[in-house]
Amino acid sequence: MKRFSPLVVVFLSFGTLLSYAATRQMEYLDRGVVAVKVSNGVFLSWRFLGTDDLSTGFNIYRDDKLITATPMTDRTNYLDAGGTLTSVYKVVPICNGVPCGEASGSVTPWANQYKTIQLNRPKGGITAPNQTGSVGKTPDASYPNGQPYSYSPNDCSVGDLDGDGVYEIVVKWDPSNSQDNSYYGITGNVYIDAYKLDGTQLWRIDLGRNIRAGAHYTQFLVYDFDGDGLAELICKTAPGTVDGLGNDVIMVGDNPKADYRNFTYSATSGSNMLGTVQTGPEYLTLFDGKTGAELHTVKYNPLRGKVSDWGDSYANRSDRFLSCVAYLDGVRPSAVFCRGYYQKTTLTTYNVVNKSLVQRWYYDSGTVAGVGAYGQGNHNLSVADVDADGKDEIIYGACAFDDDGKLLYRTGLGHGDAMHLSDIDPDNPGLEVWVVHEDKASAYGYELHEAATGKVLWGAYTGADIGRGMCADIDARYPGLETWSTATGTGTFTCKGVSISNKRPSVNFRIYWDGDLQDELLDGTVITKWTGSGTNTLFSPSGVSSCNSTKKTPNLTADLFGDWREELILWTTADSGQLRVYTTTAASPYRLFTLMHDPVYRLAVAWQNAAYNQPPHLGFYIGGGLNGIRQPAISTVKYGTETGLDKAVKAVANVYTASGRLFVVAAETITSVTVYSISGQALFKAGAINHTEYDAAIPQGVNLMLVKITTASGTCVKKVAV
């Protein structure tokens, strides 16, 4: 959120732009047609893309015969009463009476409301002998000969790893002896797998013995970071990590066989707490999405350093990690990796350039209470362009960061376990954040504040640790999203803070499921519908389980295919070796572009696996109807094309300044950059750049510049203020 001098305001008044209204590079998706056999025929749904023209209609073919009288323009689901399990369907977009865009491939119906994905479950094991026991905080000598452990599928993410326009699923395997940071105990290794929807395994990464298993240790990002149409994976690694090709992930001088775990078997607390990793190298690694091969590894920034700086002496708070994806320049995604939030708080951002991690900026709160982001972080985070400058900010609980890494604000309300960001109150300009707080002395135990400013709109002092809070549009009688928490004696509130019931529904996840424009609620494996004073159960599958113990979160919820309603991924309990992807078969009279083309929602799916998982939300309000909802400003990147962007977009670069430096970011390789004063005097020129990004120090005393950028697509000139 930059502030401009009066001189700049004059230029702006004459139409001079500091940067162009950029379109975001986002993933290309196919039509995502899904067909499900139901009692009265076959239910079909498909994607309306964020890049589709609003006039686009759809013809449906069964067994190569047209079964719709006219192109469907009002919805993207259809019940074919004549459909059978052997029917073959195809959906064709129609514009002005003729086919346009890409038609779907041929699909056949599922026999059930779910698709089963067979996984390659890792073999379990037994920990080293442990005379004190391996579970909990109190030694009980449970496993003197070592603790047996097995694996179940845990947090998942999605990305198009092979460029076919269909999501692949990335699965983190959780050993049964995974631990919270505050608990002692040796854990099994953490594995990350990639699967196509037909169950084909693409690769497995073994994070190794020096990455402990637990919700706070491994935050992984799956996203197309370099705009080539293929998603990559980025996560924390260490000596002992083995990539998807079977090669050691190791930096020069380090030992891939080293074991840095604490094996002082009597230590159940303190600096040598059993099973923790408090010494040794720490890495951040970029992996190829198609093969799982290591592409680039750097030292994790920051390293753990002095453990007590983070708030304790036993590596609990120093090993609390978060991650997210953010469009910090408004065009290309950056990876954000965070360490700490109880006290010392750090964020480091990276771009992927030429298959390498290039650090963008780094924030360190320091160790002084009451300053910066110190002590203001959550067990979760969110991302959105909250100040309407086209570039994303990172909402970190009780504080927020601007796109340039500067602290946007701190509310001073302290750490919390849950938060939600969306257009919660449509009457209030911009987006809002609903947060609960852990500090008993906090002025608010729960509160709603403006995402752009941190201004608290309403809330209440509780004098208690409020562990859970939820926000969703569950009641159509009231505009905006409803809010509630586990605070004693409270019920459900409107977005204005008005109580509408002394009861509250589940405090876990939200999901679009039944076809209206309100949210349904997901708790564990059960989907319910708010009635105004309680809930009715809509969906309760058997033979499956949620994840993360008492948190009861899904493996993933996201709009993976079909229309704009969301899919639910859970794991099977019979052998812990399968995922089930559930989709809705309820008709909906509404048409909305795929939620994955809304930047706020898509980035929420990317960070959903972080620490205490939170559900994704849209960046706009739909509860009052879809009139006025605009198509997103995105351009999709299809693998195998030049860049997926048209010439008009490629010819333009994004230019901005921060911390005394000039930054230029383009969608293709920059040939040269020349900088002039506002009077036309050449200040400096850089040639043969051969990268998509360039930065340089700004000469002393310069407040306004003309920046000429040359790429293969042409030349553009930008006027930019310092």
Side-chain angles (χ1 to χ4, degrees):
M1 187 179 289
K2 301 187 173 51
R3 291 168 174 79
F4 308 115
S5 67
L7 175 62
V8 175
V9 174
V10 171
F11 277 103
L12 286 173
S13 68
F14 285 93
T16 302
L17 297 178
L18 295 177
S19 61
Y20 72 104
T23 58
R24 296 183 179 220
Q25 297 179 10
M26 295 187 75
E27 60 208 343
Y28 161 81
L29 297 172
D30 72 3
R31 286 293 162 198
V33 180
V34 62
V36 182
K37 183 68 181 76
V38 292
S39 60
N40 53 343
V42 171
F43 178 82
L44 297 106
S45 66
W46 60 93
R47 288 188 181 110
F48 181 62
L49 300 170
T51 52
D52 282 334
D53 188 275
L54 288 175
S55 66
T56 303
F58 297 93
N59 282 341
I60 301 174
Y61 292 81
R62 184 214 310 139
D63 301 327
D64 292 326
K65 294 181 180 179
L66 181 65
I67 60 173
T68 44
T70 59
M72 298 184 64
T73 58
D74 62 340
R75 66 188 67 195
T76 46
N77 59 83
Y78 180 79
L79 178 63
D80 176 23
T84 69
L85 273 174
T86 60
S87 299
V88 179
Y89 293 94
K90 189 175 183 179
V91 175
V92 178
I94 302 293
C95 301
N96 299 317
V98 297
C100 60
E102 292 191 32
S104 75
S106 297
V107 300
T108 55
W110 300 357
N112 300 295
Q113 198 175 346
Y114 59 83
K115 182 177 184 63
T116 299
I117 301 176
Q118 181 63 52
L119 306 177
N120 176 20
R121 185 187 183 197
K123 185 179 179 181
I126 301 176
T127 64
N130 178 1
Q131 64 186 7
T132 58
S134 291
V135 179
K137 294 185 177 182
T138 304
D140 59 6
S142 298
Y143 304 104
N145 298 316
Q147 179 189 23
Y149 61 91
S150 59
Y151 284 92
S152 60
N154 193 249
D155 296 330
C156 294
S157 194
V158 293
D160 184 3
L161 304 178
D162 57 8
D164 62 356
V166 178
Y167 284 123
E168 280 71 50
I169 298 180
V170 177
V171 182
K172 183 182 78 170
W173 287 98
D174 197 38
S176 54
N177 59 357
S178 65
Q179 300 291 352
D180 184 83
N181 299 47
S182 63
Y183 284 49
Y184 75 90
I186 305 166
T187 75
N189 289 12
V190 176
Y191 299 96
I192 300 179
D193 288 0
Y195 297 89
K196 294 182 70 65
L197 292 180
D198 64 4
T200 301
Q201 184 176 2
L202 299 181
W203 44 258
R204 167 167 293 168
I205 295 167
D206 178 359
L207 293 184
R209 64 182 68 86
N210 294 311
I211 297 292
R212 199 169 186 236
H216 302 284
Y217 294 102
T218 295
Q219 322 303 331
F220 61 100
L221 297 178
V222 180
Y223 214 83
D224 180 10
F225 288 99
D226 59 2
D228 64 354
L230 300 174
E232 293 82 31
L233 166 74
I234 308 176
C235 67
K236 187 174 184 284
T237 58
T241 297
V242 178
D243 75 4
L245 297 181
N247 299 318
D248 290 323
V249 174
I250 197 70
M251 297 189 74
V252 175
D254 294 337
N255 178 7
K257 304 299 182 185
D259 191 341
Y260 295 102
R261 293 173 294 178
N262 284 317
F263 284 111
T264 305
Y265 292 117
S266 61
T268 57
S269 64
S271 60
N272 292 315
M273 191 166 71
L274 176 68
T276 57
V277 181
Q278 299 178 31
T279 61
E282 300 177 281
Y283 305 153
L284 185 70
T285 299
L286 170 71
F287 294 96
D288 183 82
K290 289 184 75 172
T291 66
E294 174 197 10
L295 294 175
H296 188 219
T297 295
V298 297
K299 289 184 178 180
Y300 198 89
N301 185 30
L303 299 172
R304 60 179 67 87
K306 188 179 178 182
V307 171
S308 60
D309 284 348
W310 304 93
D312 59 44
S313 63
Y314 61 106
N316 170 13
R317 295 184 173 189
S318 64
D319 276 11
R320 300 279 178 158
F321 300 98
L322 297 173
S323 68
C324 62
V325 179
Y327 286 74
L328 300 174
D329 63 15
V331 179
R332 297 177 53 189
S334 298
V336 184
F337 281 84
C338 318
R339 185 173 208 152
Y341 37 71
Y342 283 110
Q343 293 186 4
K344 180 179 177 178
T345 299
T346 64
L347 292 81
T348 311
T349 63
Y350 300 87
N351 284 355
V352 174
V353 181
N354 296 327
K355 304 300 181 183
S356 297
L357 293 167
V358 178
Q359 185 171 312
R360 187 180 185 93
W361 52 255
Y362 170 61
Y363 174 88
D364 187 335
S365 70
T367 58
V368 179
V371 176
Y374 181 94
Q376 299 301 295
N378 259 37
H379 286 308
N380 23 67
L381 74 177
S382 193
V383 180
D385 174 16
V386 301
D387 59 8
D389 65 354
K391 294 172 280 190
D392 284 333
E393 284 70 47
I394 301 161
I395 311 303
Y396 208 67
C399 62
F401 297 89
D402 209 345
D403 56 87
D404 59 3
K406 294 179 180 177
L407 189 72
L408 195 61
Y409 61 80
R410 55 171 281 142
T411 67
L413 298 173
H415 171 71
D417 285 3
M419 62 172 284
H420 303 266
L421 180 149
S422 186
D423 189 5
I424 296 171
D425 182 350
D427 294 332
N428 189 64
L431 305 177
E432 294 80 34
V433 184
W434 171 251
V435 195
V436 295
H437 297 284
E438 186 173 289
D439 186 353
K440 296 178 182 180
S442 176
Y444 296 93
Y446 56 85
E447 47 90 11
L448 184 75
H449 67 256
E450 291 182 342
T453 66
K455 176 185 175 183
V456 175
L457 299 174
W458 63 270
Y461 170 77
T462 61
D465 174 355
I466 308 304
R468 307 292 288 275
M470 185 59 195
C471 178
D473 182 14
I474 58 173
D475 200 319
R477 297 174 298 175
Y478 307 98
L481 279 63
E482 284 67 51
T483 62
W484 60 99
S485 74
T486 54
T488 301
T490 63
T492 305
F493 299 91
T494 70
C495 64
K496 307 290 188 183
V498 177
S499 176
I500 60 174
S501 175
N502 59 6
K503 297 181 179 180
R504 62 163 178 82
S506 59
V507 189
N508 199 344
F509 261 57
R510 51 140 306 279
I511 190 170
Y512 290 121
W513 191 259
D514 72 352
D516 62 22
L517 296 177
Q518 275 63 53
D519 295 279
E520 285 67 60
L521 296 169
L522 170 65
D523 188 26
T525 63
V526 179
I527 296 175
T528 59
K529 184 76 171 178
W530 173 252
T531 65
S533 60
T535 57
N536 290 331
T537 298
L538 298 182
F539 185 68
S540 182
S542 60
V544 288
S545 177
S546 57
C547 301
N548 300 314
S549 186
T550 59
K551 297 296 184 287
K552 297 198 299 182
T553 56
N555 295 89
L556 185 72
T557 57
D559 180 12
L560 300 179
F561 37 67
D563 66 12
W564 56 275
R565 269 85 58 80
E566 294 166 284
E567 278 63 51
L568 165 63
I569 302 181
L570 301 166
W571 59 277
T572 58
T573 54
D575 64 358
S576 305
Q578 295 179 337
L579 293 177
R580 285 187 187 171
V581 185
Y582 291 91
T583 192
T584 185
T585 56
S588 175
Y590 300 102
R591 184 171 88 164
L592 178 64
F593 59 83
T594 174
L595 308 189
M596 297 296 258
H597 276 169
D598 170 48
V600 173
Y601 182 92
R602 180 63 185 92
L603 297 181
V605 172
W607 56 245
Q608 189 180 140
N609 67 77
Y612 288 174
N613 304 16
Q614 298 289 276
H617 291 274
L618 286 168
F620 52 93
Y621 175 60
I622 67 170
L626 299 182
N627 291 334
I629 301 296
R630 299 179 180 180
Q631 294 288 86
I634 63 171
S635 35
T636 56
V637 180
K638 186 176 182 181
Y639 178 63
T641 61
E642 187 176 354
T643 63
L645 302 178
D646 59 44
K647 290 287 184 181
V649 174
K650 285 170 55 180
V652 182
N654 196 18
V655 183
Y656 61 95
T657 63
S659 303
R661 297 188 71 82
L662 169 72
F663 294 88
V664 180
V665 181
E668 63 178 16
T669 300
I670 301 169
T671 305
S672 66
V673 172
T674 307
V675 178
Y676 302 87
S677 68
I678 198 65
S679 63
Q681 177 187 0
L683 299 177
F684 60 88
K685 179 178 180 178
I689 295 172
N690 296 326
H691 289 287
T692 55
E693 299 186 10
Y694 169 77
D695 71 280
I698 299 171
Q700 198 79 16
V702 175
N703 296 315
L704 197 61
M705 302 177 291
L706 296 172
V707 182
K708 178 181 177 182
I709 307 104
T710 301
T711 71
S713 297
T715 298
C716 62
V717 178
K718 295 289 183 181
K719 189 175 292 184
V720 60
V722 178

